[in-house]
Amino acid sequence: MPVFRLSETPFDTGTLRSALLDERVGAYAGFEGWVRDHNEGRDVDGLRYEAHATLALAEGRRVMDEALAKYGIIEAHCVHRVGELAIGELAVWVGVTAAHRDAAFAACRFVIDEVKARVPIWKHERYRDGDAGWLHPAQDR
């Protein structure tokens, strides 16, 4: 059963990955997105993710269900952080298992692209020059 969730605290990717494995799995593909120290030529000091939790969870689950149906994968999970994050912290993780690598890679790419485009999670970046700004979900690719 595909899973999408939000987390206010750091999470362990090894534990998340191990929950996906079973004897049907021939391939695993994963994606990890970290907070970087720059964006569009500006030095970033940190950020905050905010979400409309009810809508984000519902849309996130739709994305995961679509990945399962479209790519014939075995399982897919995605966890996205909310709250304050520092440079270098893990912000989002996607894990996908399938019988074969092509489906796992394609579904993993689909999940992260669709989550960033459709799920109501907003990023508020703080810049080193003292300025700050909100980014629309689809702007951060």
Side-chain angles (χ1 to χ4, degrees):
M1 177 173 174
V3 174
F4 177 85
R5 68 183 178 94
L6 302 172
S7 178
E8 294 181 4
T9 59
F11 46 84
D12 177 59
T13 59
T15 301
L16 294 169
R17 182 182 170 277
S18 68
L20 292 172
L21 301 177
D22 70 36
E23 58 193 30
R24 299 172 297 159
V25 172
Y28 164 84
F31 172 82
E32 296 179 9
W34 302 299
V35 178
R36 62 186 179 273
D37 69 352
H38 66 281
N39 187 30
E40 297 183 1
R42 298 186 76 182
D43 292 333
V44 174
D45 195 37
L47 58 82
R48 180 176 74 248
Y49 282 108
E50 292 186 11
H52 185 297
T54 302
L55 294 177
L57 293 171
E59 190 63 24
R61 287 183 187 118
R62 275 193 284 280
V63 168
M64 306 308 279
D65 289 342
E66 289 171 22
L68 183 66
K70 183 174 183 175
Y71 296 99
I73 57 177
I74 295 169
E75 193 67 75
H77 291 191
C78 179
V79 182
H80 201 298
R81 288 284 306 277
V82 291
E84 295 289 333
L85 281 80
I87 302 302
E89 281 194 78
L90 182 61
V92 61
W93 173 85
V94 177
V96 175
T97 55
H100 302 284
R101 69 180 173 269
D102 287 345
F105 280 126
C108 188
R109 178 65 185 247
F110 173 84
V111 168
I112 191 59
D113 286 350
E114 293 300 306
V115 164
K116 288 296 184 181
R118 295 169 37 191
V119 177
I121 299 171
W122 299 275
K123 179 165 62 172
H124 185 256
E125 285 187 335
R126 293 181 311 279
Y127 304 105
R128 289 201 188 118
D129 64 9
D131 194 14
W134 289 98
L135 300 176
H136 182 272
Q139 288 179 315
D140 183 40
R141 289 196 181 206

